[in-house]
Amino acid sequence: MEVKVNKKVKSATADELQSLTKEELIAKITQLEAHNSQLKSIVQKSLKSREETTQTKATKKHRPFDFSKCFKRHILLRFYYLGWDYQGFAAQEDSIETIEHHLFTALKKVCLIESRETSNYNRCGRTDKGVSAFHQVISLDVRSKFRPEDQLDDNKLTSELDYCSMLNRVLPEDIRCLAWMPMVNPAYSARFDCRSRTYRYFFPRGNLNISAMEESICHLVGTHDFRNLCKMDVGNGVVNFVRSIDEIRILPSQGDGYSDGSYDMMYVELRGKAFLWHQVRCIVAVLLLVGQGKEEPSVVKELLDVEKNPCKPQYSMASDVPLNLYECLFNEKSNESNDREQMESDLREWIYNEDNLRRTISELQGMWMKHSVKTTMIREMLKTLQDVYAGERPICDQAVLLTQGVRSKEYCPLLQRQRC
């Protein structure tokens, strides 16, 4: 009996693709799109099956919650997450490993909302795959113990449902709710009423020329067309690339304790109202090239001159791991306020629960301990090897490794590269 062996099909090389006719290429693309559609359908069915199984188990244990008997209130929720192992903040059709998926799973599990569609939900920032946040904020309507007319009473606020503790009991350990804020205006939006967003990008000093990088960032402040310093998102209708950066600076974060300072941690801090897709990572990628001496500080000014350079040179972005949505500031009055003349602010103070804060700090210290011990072990190994190394040029590649992509042996200046 003849046995047929299905061999794994190799990916076509660039040369092989170039040798194909137009008809063969169309057939290949059609085949790949059909295969991709089939895979997507399989993934969605698998995810739906997992969710239905979870919901069935929950239904067997508990009776359906009757939201018609509950009061609601509009709040802001502040939380942090370490996004390194997630596919970004926003929910996706083909993955449940997003911050938003876990957040809404938790909100429904503790019966704070009935569904996303009925929760009057808005998010402050939409961070990408691998990006973290220390100050992410969402606005939504949640269940309350009190009638709407009593909800802003001080005594009622202290005895309201402990929203953060309820959520933290069912959220993954790297996503934590920190505080909540009662809102007067039910139209107040974490997205549209945010007046500024601050990002921090952490990096080791290495052998970077920080002075040259600081000279570069001066050109970024103000309103510019950032098409050469972002990833274009025209597929989602983004055709305007003019944004404003209110402030940008480079600051030290923490020292390593060794004399050369190459392992000291720094960060680039950028503040603005809104940012383009991958804008921060593209800016940092160019700043790292300036710090390495591969580009002049004036290259940033050249890239911002879209009349002279209308097309983006091809370059790799900086890594997503060190990027953090660090702070969000909000308008005192909502853009949707009925009475703009009224002086009373729509904002209140953030409400923290001391026990929840203590647990969260303790959990973060535990995570810090694990990562810090690993870092210290690696640092001691490096120190031992560097004491033995007798090469003429010291090795300071800490910051260089933040730039993604393949590094060529001979560096080609940005403005001489092929354009997108």
Side-chain angles (χ1 to χ4, degrees):
M1 180 180 177
E2 185 180 352
V3 178
K4 186 178 180 181
V5 179
N6 291 323
K7 294 184 179 180
K8 185 179 178 181
V9 180
K10 290 185 178 180
S11 300
T13 64
D15 291 337
E16 289 171 343
L17 290 174
Q18 288 177 354
S19 65
L20 298 177
T21 64
K22 182 179 178 181
E23 289 74 19
E24 289 172 331
L25 282 172
I26 291 173
K28 190 170 187 66
I29 292 171
T30 304
Q31 182 184 18
L32 287 172
E33 286 182 341
H35 184 60
N36 185 49
S37 179
Q38 185 181 21
L39 287 174
K40 191 174 181 180
S41 177
I42 293 170
V43 171
Q44 287 178 341
K45 286 180 181 177
S46 176
L47 294 176
K48 187 177 180 181
S49 176
R50 285 171 61 182
E51 287 187 358
E52 287 176 349
T53 303
T54 304
Q55 290 172 2
T56 302
K57 289 179 179 178
T59 305
K60 288 180 180 178
K61 293 181 181 179
H62 306 288
R63 290 182 300 172
F65 193 88
D66 189 357
F67 282 92
S68 65
K69 298 179 180 179
C70 299
F71 302 113
K72 287 185 178 182
R73 73 183 307 156
H74 192 60
I75 67 170
L76 296 184
L77 270 178
R78 177 191 168 186
F79 57 98
Y80 79 77
Y81 52 85
L82 303 173
W84 308 318
D85 298 324
Y86 292 95
Q87 298 298 309
F89 181 83
Q92 299 175 20
E93 292 181 356
D94 55 354
S95 175
I96 62 172
E97 290 307 316
T98 64
I99 306 298
E100 217 169 48
H101 173 85
H102 289 288
L103 180 61
F104 275 99
T105 299
L107 285 164
K108 289 188 282 188
K109 191 169 186 177
V110 297
C111 299
L112 287 181
I113 65 168
E114 188 172 9
S115 68
R116 174 173 177 158
E117 292 73 24
T118 60
S119 64
N120 188 21
Y121 168 75
N122 270 297
R123 58 194 174 216
C124 176
R126 176 175 172 162
T127 54
D128 296 313
K129 177 183 176 182
V131 179
S132 301
F134 177 62
H135 196 139
Q136 176 67 278
V137 177
I138 64 171
S139 56
L140 76 170
D141 297 340
V142 293
R143 175 166 60 95
S144 173
K145 291 166 62 176
F146 306 108
R147 297 178 181 277
E149 59 269 22
D150 300 327
Q151 288 175 355
L152 294 176
D153 183 85
D154 289 341
N155 294 328
K156 297 294 190 292
L157 287 175
T158 56
S159 55
E160 179 59 283
L161 294 171
D162 188 358
Y163 297 120
C164 293
S165 296
M166 292 170 70
L167 288 169
N168 288 342
R169 283 196 291 268
V170 294
L171 281 168
E173 66 174 3
D174 45 11
I175 306 173
R176 281 293 176 263
C177 183
L178 296 173
W180 69 280
M181 183 187 296
M183 302 305 299
V184 180
N185 188 347
Y188 199 96
S189 168
R191 178 185 177 188
F192 298 109
D193 293 313
C194 180
R195 74 171 190 263
S196 77
R197 297 166 176 86
T198 299
Y199 284 89
R200 286 185 177 180
Y201 190 98
F202 294 85
F203 64 94
R205 180 188 288 271
N207 60 354
L208 296 174
N209 184 340
I210 303 298
S211 297
M213 294 171 69
E214 289 175 330
E215 185 180 341
S216 285
I217 64 176
C218 296
H219 303 296
L220 293 165
V221 178
T223 303
H224 306 283
D225 189 316
F226 286 95
R227 68 182 63 194
N228 291 326
L229 291 166
C230 74
K231 189 170 182 179
M232 291 191 174
D233 194 19
V234 291
N236 286 321
V238 180
V239 292
N240 178 14
F241 305 100
V242 176
R243 295 293 186 275
S244 179
I245 293 181
D246 301 326
E247 183 181 21
I248 179 169
R249 53 186 182 164
I250 300 174
L251 297 169
S253 177
Q254 59 185 28
D256 178 72
Y258 292 88
S259 58
D260 66 351
S262 61
Y263 288 89
D264 290 355
M265 294 302 296
M266 313 280 293
Y267 62 85
V268 181
E269 184 176 85
L270 306 93
R271 180 170 58 85
K273 184 174 175 60
F275 292 87
L276 295 160
W277 191 25
H278 294 323
Q279 181 181 345
V280 176
R281 291 172 62 189
C282 287
I283 287 174
V284 173
V286 175
L287 291 180
L288 290 174
L289 293 175
V290 172
Q292 294 166 43
K294 294 180 177 179
E295 297 287 344
E296 293 296 321
S298 59
V299 72
V300 172
K301 185 178 180 181
E302 293 289 331
L303 291 172
L304 292 173
D305 187 349
V306 295
E307 291 186 2
K308 187 176 178 181
N309 296 288
C311 297
K312 177 185 175 184
Q314 293 184 0
Y315 61 88
S316 299
M317 295 188 297
S319 170
D320 51 12
V321 172
L323 185 55
N324 192 312
L325 175 58
Y326 193 77
E327 186 179 39
C328 301
L329 298 177
F330 293 90
N331 298 323
E332 290 292 327
K333 296 288 292 180
S334 170
N335 292 324
E336 298 295 324
S337 291
N338 295 326
D339 187 1
R340 298 295 297 172
E341 300 298 324
Q342 187 179 346
M343 295 303 293
E344 184 183 2
S345 172
D346 285 337
L347 297 179
R348 293 291 186 270
E349 294 293 326
W350 287 107
I351 297 176
Y352 293 87
N353 178 283
E354 188 174 336
D355 289 336
N356 178 64
L357 204 56
R358 184 186 296 110
R359 284 193 297 269
T360 301
I361 291 172
S362 179
E363 290 168 350
L364 268 178
Q365 286 178 340
M367 281 189 271
W368 171 86
M369 179 274 296
K370 291 178 183 177
H371 291 289
S372 187
V373 167
K374 292 177 182 178
T375 301
T376 302
M377 290 173 64
I378 295 171
R379 182 69 186 91
E380 290 299 322
M381 292 162 67
L382 279 167
K383 184 176 181 299
T384 302
L385 291 175
Q386 285 173 329
D387 289 342
V388 176
Y389 178 69
E392 295 181 2
R393 186 182 69 84
I395 303 172
C396 292
D397 289 340
Q398 299 96 327
V400 175
L401 300 174
L402 284 175
T403 305
Q404 298 180 329
V406 179
R407 288 184 292 276
S408 58
K409 292 182 178 180
E410 293 186 9
Y411 181 76
C412 178
L414 279 177
L415 299 179
Q416 296 178 22
R417 296 185 187 183
Q418 185 176 348
R419 305 295 174 113
C420 296

